[in-house]
Amino acid sequence: MPKPLPYATQVEIFTRFREAEPEPVGELHHLNAYTLVVAVALSAQATDAGVNRATGPLFAVADTPEKMLALGEAGLIEHIKSIGLYRNKARNVIALSRILHEEYGGEVPASRAALEALPGVGRKTANVVLNMWFRHPAQAVDTHIFRVGNRTRIAPGKDVVAVERAIEDNVPAPFQLHAHHWLILHGRYVCVARKPKCGACLIADLCPYPEKTLP
């Protein structure tokens, strides 16, 4: 496994990201911590845009665990059937809503362990909620961040947990809060999988990737 980029290079990279986008935000629409949990759980193997189309009308009628339980699994399915794996996701959302209602008074816990114990909520979902809602410097690693972390050597790792730890260990502390947002947006729109847009890349001169698409 290659070594991560030197500290000074990391500082320069994230300084450029911050100058371009000082306060990056996630692209999943939500109204509160609960709707964020639901949106991220629904986004597995689905696009943010597709989830947002479904959750707009859904959250208008069910933005708390209690309202979701009143809607019921069948009612939820009617709202999310355009999303892949919607039956299993509906089952999980109703189950996690029941747990939040019965065990947490309808509130979303600010604990990774408690979040991961909810049906349909894995480590990535828990980290997104901790970061976006509770503003913890948690790193939610998806396929985009995994690719960017390894391709640029900002945070190399053999799996998503290793990349998560590499971000925590190597990205300078002042940039930790927004690191995963900068990396996911970079991977989604610039450092794409097949033909990275290196000519439009803010950090092309600092990136050691050998197969750049520069002119």
Side-chain angles (χ1 to χ4, degrees):
M1 184 61 60
K3 292 182 179 180
L5 293 175
Y7 180 84
T9 306
Q10 301 267 13
V11 169
E12 178 62 24
I13 284 173
F14 284 95
T15 296
R16 294 183 190 182
F17 283 152
R18 184 172 61 187
E19 288 173 349
E21 188 70 54
E23 290 288 332
V25 295
E27 296 183 322
L28 283 172
H29 297 167
H30 59 282
L31 307 173
N32 50 37
Y34 170 70
T35 53
L36 179 58
V37 172
V38 173
V40 182
L42 294 177
S43 71
Q45 299 182 46
T47 65
D48 287 0
V51 172
N52 289 338
R53 284 192 292 272
T55 57
L58 171 63
F59 293 157
V61 297
D63 60 354
T64 68
E66 294 74 19
K67 291 178 183 178
M68 192 68 75
L69 291 171
L71 182 63
E73 187 173 327
L76 174 56
I77 284 174
E78 286 303 306
H79 283 279
I80 67 169
K81 59 186 178 182
S82 61
I83 300 173
L85 307 174
Y86 66 90
R87 292 189 185 278
N88 188 55
K89 291 178 180 179
R91 192 176 307 115
N92 285 334
V93 168
I94 294 298
L96 71 84
S97 298
R98 184 168 291 109
I99 292 172
L100 291 175
H101 171 63
E102 294 177 354
E103 299 183 18
Y104 296 96
E107 299 295 322
V108 174
S111 157
R112 180 184 285 114
L115 288 167
E116 285 192 63
L118 298 173
V121 176
R123 187 177 184 87
K124 186 186 80 169
T125 298
N127 282 344
V128 170
V129 175
L130 290 172
N131 182 278
M132 289 181 61
W133 191 259
F134 296 106
R135 296 186 70 80
H136 294 178
Q139 308 301 331
V141 178
D142 68 353
T143 55
H144 297 298
I145 295 178
F146 182 79
R147 178 177 65 254
V148 173
N150 279 287
R151 183 180 280 174
T152 63
R153 284 182 32 217
I154 289 172
K158 64 180 180 180
D159 54 39
V160 293
V161 174
V163 170
E164 178 185 330
R165 290 173 178 163
I167 294 172
E168 293 172 346
D169 290 344
N170 298 292
V171 173
F175 305 105
Q176 285 279 332
L177 179 61
H178 293 313
H180 101 269
H181 275 132
W182 284 316
L183 292 173
I184 193 172
L185 293 171
H186 192 63
R188 185 173 288 169
Y189 297 111
V190 180
C191 196
V192 295
R194 294 189 178 181
K195 293 183 179 180
K197 302 173 184 177
C198 301
C201 178
L202 290 172
I203 62 169
D205 58 314
L206 302 173
C207 173
Y209 183 55
E211 299 177 33
K212 289 190 178 73
T213 59
L214 294 171

